[in-house]
Amino acid sequence: MKVRIALIALLLPTLAYARPQNAPRTTGFHSEFVANLDEVQAKLVELAEITPADKYSWRPAKDVRSISEVYMHVAGFNYFLASYLGTPAPTPTRDLEKSVTRKSEVLVELRKSFDHLRAAAARADLEKQVKMFNSNTTTHRGVMMTALSHIHEHLGQSIAYARMNGVTPPWSRQ
């Protein structure tokens, strides 16, 4: 009896830290990734929401992405990078930048792409090696970092586009 009690006493702390495979991670890189992804998504989507629909076709110069194309580029890349995490892009795959241009459709697709990336990241094995862009070897962690870097880059671009069109990002208003 004393042996059983001792074993239970030794195992209880271990069981306290055990989590089901599908339970959300609350600490470490995964949770930091999700927190950062949530923040950048909120800003990008909020900016997309307040930008007037008639500005979605605006581009700063010929042969440069329009506002809607930037948002759809982010969405497409979210899907693309999720494939390196083992979650294929939803079908049908198409050139989002050219085929999704209406504000309402852009917002739907942008949100879906973030949900898709978030779900792929939740299942990622951080140390798993993958070949990215047909040559560079990285890990799932590296893919996730690339995703954040890419989204932040285009958030900055979108802020510049918005300001050039008289739209002030809500979080920067004083």
Side-chain angles (χ1 to χ4, degrees), residues 28-30 32-33 84-85 121 124-130 132 138-148:
F29 180 82
H30 274 98
E32 292 165 355
F33 171 83
Y84 286 107
L85 301 175
D125 174 357
L126 296 180
E127 301 307 320
K128 183 175 182 176
Q129 298 277 315
V130 292
M132 200 162 93
T138 189
T139 60
H140 279 188
R141 178 186 287 108
V143 172
M144 293 161 69
M145 290 174 62
T146 299
L148 287 175

Side-chain angles (χ1 to χ4, degrees), residues 72-163:
M72 289 301 87
H73 172 72
V74 169
F77 215 69
N78 285 351
Y79 291 134
F80 175 68
L81 287 177
S83 71
Y84 286 107
L85 301 175
T87 304
T91 55
T93 56
R94 57 183 192 245
D95 184 3
L96 292 176
E97 290 182 35
K98 301 297 179 199
S99 64
V100 180
T101 57
R102 288 188 22 218
K103 180 177 178 175
S104 60
E105 294 171 350
V106 166
L107 288 166
V108 167
E109 197 65 47
L110 190 59
R111 287 184 181 106
K112 276 179 27 183
S113 78
F114 277 101
D115 292 344
H116 185 79
L117 178 59
R118 189 175 288 101
R123 294 186 293 275
D125 174 357
L126 296 180
E127 301 307 320
K128 183 175 182 176
Q129 298 277 315
V130 292
K131 275 206 170 274
M132 200 162 93
F133 306 124
N134 298 321
S135 63
N136 297 330
T137 300
T138 189
T139 60
H140 279 188
R141 178 186 287 108
V143 172
M144 293 161 69
M145 290 174 62
T146 299
L148 287 175
S149 175
H150 181 259
I151 298 163
H152 278 283
E153 174 186 344
H154 291 294
L155 172 60
Q157 179 184 16
S158 297
I159 291 167
Y161 278 25
R163 289 188 181 278

